[in-house]
Amino acid sequence: MQLNQIDRRLVTSYDRMFSHHDASLTGLQGDEGLANLGYHDPSTTSLAGACANLVCRMISRLDGTTGPLLDVGCGVGGTTALIADHFPDVPVHAINISASQIDLCRQREPRVSFEVMRAEALSYSDAQFNIVTSVEAAMHFRGRREFLQEAFRVLRPGGRLAVADMLFHSQPVAFPAVLSEQELYSDIAPYHRLWADCGLVDIQIEDVTAPVVRGFVERARAACLTALLLKQIKPSHFANRLRMIELIEQLPVSAYVIAWARKP
């Protein structure tokens, strides 16, 4: 698969992050292969638990839907493993544009069929899946409309789409390798219209900015300090992590959302 310059920067940046576990925030999120910001509420006691909580919250509204499932933008497979646990009797497929991350996925989760593929140009057949999911990946796609159109195409009639997504009201300055050239949304309304324009119905969008973004910042800072005091990380790694958390806090986020819809 040919990658453009933007996608090559994205892949290189995430490959480096997952390979430098000790110095990155993934070191605080545990070894389960989860790297989202997490949904933080009184029931969560760790970053890893919050990461799992976000995935579970997203897929909870898919209960009652069965059949083949596709996870788009699967990272290193932790999210997909949780989804496969929730849907143990259905075939699960997952894609990512990073070949090295797909190799890690295959080692982590043998139940799932992993492929290197673009979200905006799926090679699957029309109406192949009953469920399509994507967790904190759509802001990296080269076009949400293209992704939603492809998700619509590969879904069967009545199939369900569930997405956790971060929307920006202005171009982020931080993390240019992974957040350059963002589509901008002043609020949730135009995002809702985009889903409707792509043919989806029964659209539900939940604004979870406070428990996700703000919750992550508070818990990540506390986890960093605890790790330093327990001498689990070096002072230099502590400083690097605090800087990353500060940059995430300063991102121009208009909303972090979980969205669900159905193909008629």
Side-chain angles (χ1 to χ4, degrees):
M1 184 182 70
Q2 291 294 110
L3 297 178
N4 59 35
Q5 183 178 1
I6 294 175
D7 286 339
R8 285 196 299 271
R9 290 202 309 266
L10 173 68
V11 168
T12 299
S13 180
Y14 272 107
D15 285 352
R16 184 182 300 116
M17 182 186 78
F18 287 121
S19 65
H20 291 77
H21 185 78
D22 290 340
S24 70
L25 289 173
T26 56
L28 293 174
Q29 291 161 317
D31 297 318
E32 293 86 0
L34 297 164
N36 61 69
L37 294 182
Y39 188 96
H40 302 261
D41 61 22
S43 71
T44 57
T45 58
S46 66
L47 283 170
C51 289
N53 198 22
L54 177 68
V55 178
C56 291
R57 188 176 186 87
M58 185 192 76
I59 61 178
S60 65
R61 296 197 194 182
L62 301 177
D63 287 346
T65 307
T66 60
L69 183 151
L70 172 64
D71 186 33
V72 180
C74 61
V76 291
T79 293
T80 315
L82 275 179
I83 293 171
D85 288 341
H86 193 83
F87 297 96
D89 300 321
V90 306
V92 177
H93 299 252
I95 67 163
N96 192 336
I97 61 172
S98 167
S100 64
Q101 290 175 44
I102 287 295
D103 287 341
L104 293 173
C105 289
R106 289 168 176 158
Q107 296 170 33
R108 179 184 301 278
E109 187 45 74
R111 295 174 296 174
V112 176
S113 176
F114 291 99
E115 300 293 340
V116 179
M117 196 181 304
R118 298 183 62 88
E120 311 90 333
L122 301 174
S123 62
Y124 298 109
S125 303
D126 294 357
Q128 185 170 341
F129 298 101
N130 281 13
I131 302 171
V132 174
T133 62
S134 182
V135 177
E136 209 170 287
M139 71 269 203
H140 301 312
F141 301 157
R142 294 303 105 196
R144 285 184 177 89
R145 180 178 297 274
E146 289 79 3
F147 159 60
L148 291 173
Q149 289 172 337
E150 279 293 87
F152 186 92
R153 179 183 66 81
V154 301
L155 278 171
R156 295 171 179 171
R160 303 288 302 281
L161 174 65
V163 175
D165 198 0
M166 194 185 312
L167 312 180
F168 299 98
H169 58 73
S170 58
Q171 291 297 334
V173 175
F175 311 113
V178 299
L179 293 178
S180 62
E181 299 187 19
Q182 285 294 312
E183 300 171 6
L184 302 183
Y185 296 88
S186 57
D187 54 41
I188 294 174
Y191 187 75
H192 187 286
R193 287 195 296 271
L194 172 64
W195 281 53
D197 288 346
C198 292
L200 295 157
V201 298
D202 296 339
I203 302 164
Q204 297 176 299
I205 300 178
E206 181 182 10
D207 186 340
V208 292
T209 308
V212 174
V213 181
R214 297 169 199 157
F216 167 81
V217 169
E218 293 174 5
R219 192 179 298 273
R221 280 182 174 146
C224 278
L225 181 58
T226 299
L228 178 68
L229 294 175
L230 295 177
K231 298 183 178 180
Q232 296 171 339
I233 58 174
K234 300 176 182 178
S236 60
H237 291 168
F238 172 74
N240 289 339
R241 285 175 172 174
L242 281 187
R243 179 56 179 159
M244 289 180 67
I245 294 165
E246 180 182 355
L247 291 173
I248 291 170
E249 183 179 26
Q250 294 172 353
L251 287 172
V253 177
S254 55
Y256 191 110
V257 299
I258 305 176
W260 300 267
R262 179 176 61 86
K263 177 177 179 177

